[in-house]
């Protein structure tokens, strides 16, 4: 399984954490993949900054979540969606934090994994940290080295093995 990126959005639609993993090509002439790890034929987004990328991801999940609730009712939840090139996984906490992970298309549902990241990493290292702000106004993101290290180790050990 390949993890491309991970985002956390707060209840004010601000991206408070983002992490992208650079993919190492398996070989220089691997068939079916570009050097950046995307499948052959995948379009490269040009001119998108990291901030624009986060806004695009949030807009997508916001629209899909609202569409699912309107079509299915208030009890239905948006969990994930898949395109030909990636799969987006979504988990929303009771406090309206939104955890989003973008992976390859072969990955099973990661809702439980996102919940584990929230409970064992975010709550432990960010929420319980007295130096961490409660709100993240103006895009001030999560600035906790233990959380970042924990996410890196969790993804590398659990998901990319």
């Amino acid at each position: 399984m390949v993890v491309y990126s991970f985002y956390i959005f707060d209840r004010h639609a601000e991206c408070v954490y983002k992490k992208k993993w650079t993919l190492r090509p398996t070989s220089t002439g691997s068939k079916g993949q570009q050097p950046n790890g995307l499948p052959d034929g995948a379009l490269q987004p040009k001119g998108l900054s990291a901030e624009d990328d986060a806004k695009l991801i949030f807009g997508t999940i916001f629209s899909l979540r609202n569409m699912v609730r309107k079509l299915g009712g208030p009890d239905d939840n948006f969990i994930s969606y898949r395109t030909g090139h990636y799969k987006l996984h979504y988990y929303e906490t009771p406090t309206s934090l939104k955890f989003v992970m973008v992976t390859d298309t072969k990955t099973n549902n990661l809702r439980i994994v996102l919940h584990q990241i929230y409970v064992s990493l975010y709550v432990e290292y960010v929420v319980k940290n007295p130096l961490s702000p409660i709100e993240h106004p103006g895009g001030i993101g999560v600035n906790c080295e233990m959380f970042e290290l924990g996410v890196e180790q969790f993804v590398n050990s659990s998901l990319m093995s």
Side-chain angles (χ1 to χ4, degrees):
M1 179 181 89
V2 179
V3 176
Y4 298 128
S5 57
F6 174 65
Y7 301 89
I8 301 175
F9 298 97
D10 67 3
R11 61 186 174 156
H12 305 293
E14 293 283 341
C15 183
V16 296
Y17 183 79
K18 59 183 159 263
K19 171 78 176 155
K20 288 190 176 196
W21 282 268
T22 56
L23 301 172
R24 295 176 294 278
T26 54
S27 67
T28 56
S30 66
K31 186 177 181 180
Q33 281 193 333
Q34 298 174 12
N36 62 2
L38 291 175
D40 284 339
L43 296 177
Q44 296 282 343
K46 294 184 181 179
L48 281 182
S49 67
E51 188 175 313
D52 290 340
D53 192 31
K55 288 179 184 178
L56 186 62
I57 294 287
F58 183 81
T60 302
I61 62 169
F62 181 80
S63 298
L64 288 173
R65 186 189 60 160
N66 286 341
M67 182 181 72
V68 167
R69 287 189 178 159
K70 285 182 182 178
L71 292 175
D75 294 335
D76 286 337
N77 290 322
F78 165 64
I79 297 171
S80 67
Y81 82 92
R82 179 183 3 216
T83 69
H85 302 289
Y86 66 90
K87 186 172 182 181
L88 185 139
H89 307 269
Y90 175 74
Y91 173 72
E92 186 170 355
T93 68
T95 57
S96 296
L97 283 172
K98 295 153 187 71
F99 287 72
V100 179
M101 188 171 284
V102 180
T103 65
D104 65 341
T105 58
K106 299 172 189 154
T107 307
N108 291 330
N109 186 2
L110 294 182
R111 184 175 174 86
I112 294 171
V113 171
L114 292 173
H115 177 74
Q116 287 175 337
I117 291 173
Y118 169 64
V119 171
S120 62
L121 297 174
Y122 189 83
V123 170
E124 289 298 319
Y125 296 126
V126 178
V127 174
K128 291 182 180 179
N129 183 354
L131 300 176
S132 181
I134 296 171
E135 296 287 330
H136 301 276
I140 297 173
V142 173
N143 189 16
C144 179
E145 189 175 322
M146 292 299 294
F147 174 73
E148 292 180 20
L149 183 63
V151 168
E152 184 75 30
Q153 288 177 347
F154 183 82
V155 168
N156 287 334
S157 65
S158 301
L159 302 176
M160 291 190 169
S161 56

